[in-house]
Amino acid sequence: VLIIYLNGVYLPYDQARIHPEDRGFLLADGIYEVIRFYGGRPFLQVEHLDRLQRSADAVRLPLPSRDLFSRVIDELLTTNDLLSDDGTIYIQVTRGAYTPRTHWFPAGETEPTLLIIARKSAPMDPALREAGVSAVTLPDNRWDRCDIKSIGLLPNVLAKQAAIDAGAYEAVFVRDGRVTEGSSTNIFGVLNGVIRTHPADNRILCGITRNHALRLAAAQGFEIREEALTREETFRCSELFLTSTTSEVLPITALDGRPVGTGRPGPMTQKLYEAFQDSIAENGAANPAD
Ligand code: PDD
């Protein structure tokens, strides 16, 4: 049975209990992170833990030390025999359990709820990656602090489900005529040979995979502009792709039912995906524990 970490204790998954009035459950008063591991090694963990700290600071949640997160992640990967597997580490921190329910922060010592789960994930269907995925545009009706990785994901959930209902893989949010990001991904386009993506401001989650892809693109010598694409411009892009911890670099080959470019994954997207895979291999090789 899977061993997880909850509030200072390692315990079997089926014995974990969350308080019925946890503020995460009642108010979505919490933040989270999803970290990928490949061959049992966390990928871009420092960047993810840095972002967790930024989210925590933004919502005034105290976090345990960086060291604790690293130790717990290592312990979960080892205990659960995941050291040669690929999967995800889910971290959630909420403002804890207090009764009765209030909107304001409870007085006195705040005792956050901390949950960490590491588990294996199934590899993505290679046919999906080969053909690329379809996406649909939807109005971005979220708040103006999308840079915080909040567990308040209702607009994202509704957008993703609307995409699925339309037979698509992802919903692409559009605000004031400009593409912001996907419901759980960042969006990139290639227009006139230049890679374009929304700047890392309050309108998007600054994706760890986004930043990594931008570094890899720069190393390839690709021209990059962190300037949002209008919805109209996306239809003139020769390539579109999305990035996220779980989807990596994934081509979008149809948008709102229209083919993107040739309707096949484009060469720059392919190059970036290959560079991404190389960087995963280097992540493995760089660790002297082997
Ligand atoms: N989603 N934008 C949003 C709104 C997201 O929720 C995510 C991540 C991203 C991509 O960020 P990153 O590259 O750091 O994963 C962009 C995670 C994986 C999730 O909710 O499962």
Side-chain angles (χ1 to χ4, degrees), residues 133-137 163 168-172 187 240 242 252-257:
V133 298
S134 61
V136 290
T137 58
Y169 179 88
E170 179 60 305
V172 172
I187 305 292
L240 284 180
L242 57 81
I252 299 172
T253 46
L255 185 68
D256 290 337

Side-chain angles (χ1 to χ4, degrees), residues 20-254:
E21 291 190 283
D22 190 280
R23 290 173 64 94
F25 178 54
L26 294 185
L27 303 162
D29 186 0
I31 54 170
Y32 75 109
E33 270 300 325
V34 182
I35 308 176
R36 201 68 206 274
F37 61 91
Y38 297 100
R41 292 171 209 287
F43 189 61
L44 304 173
Q45 175 169 300
V46 170
E47 288 84 347
H48 281 281
L49 293 178
D50 283 347
R51 187 174 63 186
L52 185 68
Q53 187 66 58
R54 286 199 301 277
S55 295
D57 292 344
V59 303
R60 299 164 62 187
L61 254 178
L63 279 193
S65 71
R66 173 63 58 106
D67 194 48
L68 177 122
F69 285 103
S70 303
R71 274 188 287 117
V72 172
I73 288 169
D74 288 348
E75 179 64 28
L76 289 176
L77 291 173
T78 307
T79 303
N80 290 299
D81 196 19
L82 294 168
L83 290 176
S84 51
D85 289 316
D86 295 354
T88 55
I89 299 147
Y90 181 80
I91 305 174
Q92 179 167 318
V93 191
T94 77
R95 211 176 306 277
Y98 295 90
T99 57
R101 171 184 179 275
T102 63
H103 280 66
W104 61 82
F105 295 178
E109 277 295 286
T110 48
E111 202 57 66
T113 300
L114 171 57
L115 169 69
I116 308 181
I117 301 177
R119 60 154 61 93
K120 224 189 281 202
S121 56
M124 180 176 291
D125 179 2
L128 199 62
R129 183 168 291 292
E130 222 165 278
V133 298
S134 61
V136 290
T137 58
L138 282 175
D140 192 342
N141 53 7
R142 300 173 301 160
W143 68 335
D144 70 356
R145 288 306 306 273
C146 296
D147 55 314
I148 300 172
K149 202 158 169 61
S150 160
I151 60 171
L153 289 170
L154 198 44
N156 307 65
V157 165
L158 292 173
K160 183 76 88 185
Q161 189 56 44
I164 305 284
D165 291 346
Y169 179 88
E170 179 60 305
V172 172
F173 284 129
V174 176
R175 183 187 291 273
D176 301 330
R178 289 184 173 77
V179 168
T180 51
E181 63 181 331
S183 72
S184 64
T185 61
N186 291 109
I187 305 292
F188 296 71
V190 179
L191 188 64
N192 303 322
V194 179
I195 296 184
R196 295 266 299 273
T197 195
H198 197 286
D201 60 17
N202 59 313
R203 292 297 181 196
I204 67 162
L205 183 76
C206 184
I208 303 305
T209 321
R210 169 193 185 276
N211 293 348
H212 190 54
L214 288 176
R215 286 191 296 269
L216 296 173
Q220 292 287 329
F222 293 158
E223 202 182 325
I224 300 158
R225 280 223 317 266
E226 292 183 58
E227 181 190 329
L229 289 160
T230 66
R231 181 173 177 276
E232 296 320 307
E233 280 176 326
T234 59
F235 294 114
R236 291 194 279 115
C237 282
S238 56
E239 304 182 35
L240 284 180
F241 60 94
L242 57 81
T243 65
S244 81
T245 294
T246 48
S247 296
E248 305 174 328
V249 175
L250 188 64
I252 299 172
T253 46

